[in-house]
């Protein structure tokens, strides 16, 4: 069974940094592109970016590429999202997804709240 | 960016109704469209990929159609377990983009 389990969310102050993790199981992690998607409290979905199966290439939403970095550790079957200089508009639930063309499996999500 | 214009924003339906949700892409996306269902408090679940292919275990009352710029998700016989928010997604070009969602409720 494919499982994606995110962690690392919480309450952070504007301007701070935060790193989310996603541990994958139930499939060969190193065979798949992976991505992060976020959903605002108003239910808007935004694709953040993805990373190639070997970690050699990444794509980002243009509005986020200067502050967010996606990486992976295939030995640990773990995907990461490094968020820097966070803003109130980054408040959202962050999902880790496996990509097969479009995202097919999603984690349960982790909440990030940016507030002073 | 490719804009996915989804309609309606919300609708009330009855059990047994035929429901149609539309997504229009701002440019040609081929058949690179997926549809997702998000029940309250849950993660999104993919229903349809490559515009018209049902994911494993998805009931056949869910049908996806379209190509190019116009796409449709049809629920042929609304069931009590189908209220949710439904989203379309294009993955033809980066960045991937979602529709704004359609909230389906039972009257």
């Amino acid at each position: 069974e494919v499982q994606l389990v995110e962690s690392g969310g919480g309450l952070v102050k504007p301007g701070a940094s935060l790193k989310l993790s996603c541990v994958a199981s139930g499939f060969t992690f190193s065979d798949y592109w992976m991505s992060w998607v976020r959903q605002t409290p108003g239910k808007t979905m935004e694709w953040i970016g993805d990373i190639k199966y070997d970690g050699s290439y990444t794509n980002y939403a243009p509005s986020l590429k200067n502050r967010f970095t996606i990486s992976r550790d295939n030995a640990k079957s773990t995907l990461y999202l490094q968020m820097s200089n966070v803003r109130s508009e980054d408040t959202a639930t962050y999902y880790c997804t496996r990509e097969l063309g479009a995202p097919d499996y999603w984690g349960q999500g982790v909440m990030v709240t940016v507030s002073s | 960016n490719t804009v996915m214009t989804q309609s309606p924003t919300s609708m009330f339906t009855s059990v047994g109704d035929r429901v149609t949700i539309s997504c229009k892409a701002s440019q040609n996306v081929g058949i690179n469209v997926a549809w997702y269902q998000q029940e309250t408090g849950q993660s999104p679940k993919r229903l349809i990929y490559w515009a018209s292919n049902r994911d494993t275990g998805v009931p056949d009352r869910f049908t996806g159609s379209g190509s190019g710029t116009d796409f449709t998700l049809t629920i042929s016989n609304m069931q009590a377990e189908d209220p949710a928010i439904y989203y379309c997604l294009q993955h033809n070009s980066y960045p991937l983009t979602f529709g704004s969602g359609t909230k389906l409720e039972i009257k």
Side-chain angles (χ1 to χ4, degrees):
Chain A
E1 178 193 6
V2 172
Q3 287 199 328
L4 301 168
V5 180
E6 302 95 337
S7 62
L11 176 63
V12 292
K13 295 185 186 305
S17 295
L18 189 67
K19 190 171 187 175
L20 306 182
S21 300
C22 168
V23 176
S25 60
F27 65 102
T28 304
F29 182 71
S30 58
D31 284 350
Y32 289 87
W33 286 70
M34 298 293 293
S35 63
W36 288 96
V37 175
R38 69 182 183 182
Q39 184 174 36
T40 68
K43 302 302 184 184
T44 297
M45 287 284 195
E46 181 177 23
W47 179 84
I48 295 169
D50 63 11
I51 185 166
K52 194 176 178 180
Y53 43 81
D54 62 358
S56 63
Y57 197 76
T58 51
N59 297 286
Y60 295 96
S63 61
L64 298 174
K65 70 176 299 181
N66 291 333
R67 297 189 298 118
F68 288 15
T69 302
I70 297 173
S71 60
R72 65 193 295 163
D73 184 337
N74 284 347
K76 296 182 178 179
S77 296
T78 302
L79 178 71
Y80 302 102
L81 177 66
Q82 178 72 53
M83 306 167 60
S84 63
N85 190 24
V86 297
R87 307 164 179 168
S88 58
E89 54 264 38
D90 295 323
T91 294
T93 298
Y94 287 74
Y95 293 99
C96 160
T97 82
R98 190 179 80 168
E99 278 192 352
L100 194 61
D104 57 356
Y105 287 94
W106 297 57
Q108 86 287 353
V110 62
M111 287 193 63
V112 173
T113 303
V114 181
S115 175
S116 54
Chain B
N1 295 3
T2 301
V3 176
M4 300 296 284
T5 302
Q6 187 172 344
S7 63
T9 301
S10 64
M11 67 184 297
F12 283 90
T13 67
S14 299
V15 172
D17 278 358
R18 180 183 180 88
V19 175
T20 300
I21 300 170
S22 168
C23 262
K24 293 185 182 296
S26 61
Q27 57 191 290
N28 189 335
V29 296
I31 58 168
N32 298 300
V33 167
W35 290 93
Y36 297 87
Q37 175 194 59
Q38 186 179 32
E39 297 175 320
T40 302
Q42 301 295 312
S43 306
K45 170 190 171 184
R46 196 176 70 179
L47 300 175
I48 302 288
Y49 62 96
W50 303 122
S52 62
N53 293 273
R54 235 175 263 115
D55 271 279
T56 302
V58 174
D60 60 8
R61 64 179 180 275
F62 292 93
T63 302
S65 62
S67 66
T69 60
D70 292 328
F71 300 87
T72 300
L73 176 70
T74 300
I75 308 174
S76 61
N77 178 14
M78 185 78 177
Q79 296 297 298
E81 61 265 31
D82 297 338
I85 302 176
Y86 292 83
Y87 295 93
C88 60
L89 165 83
Q90 71 79 23
H91 58 99
N92 182 68
S93 62
Y94 287 112
L96 278 61
T97 47
F98 289 87
S100 55
T102 296
K103 186 174 183 180
L104 290 187
E105 297 176 275
I106 297 281
K107 290 177 190 173

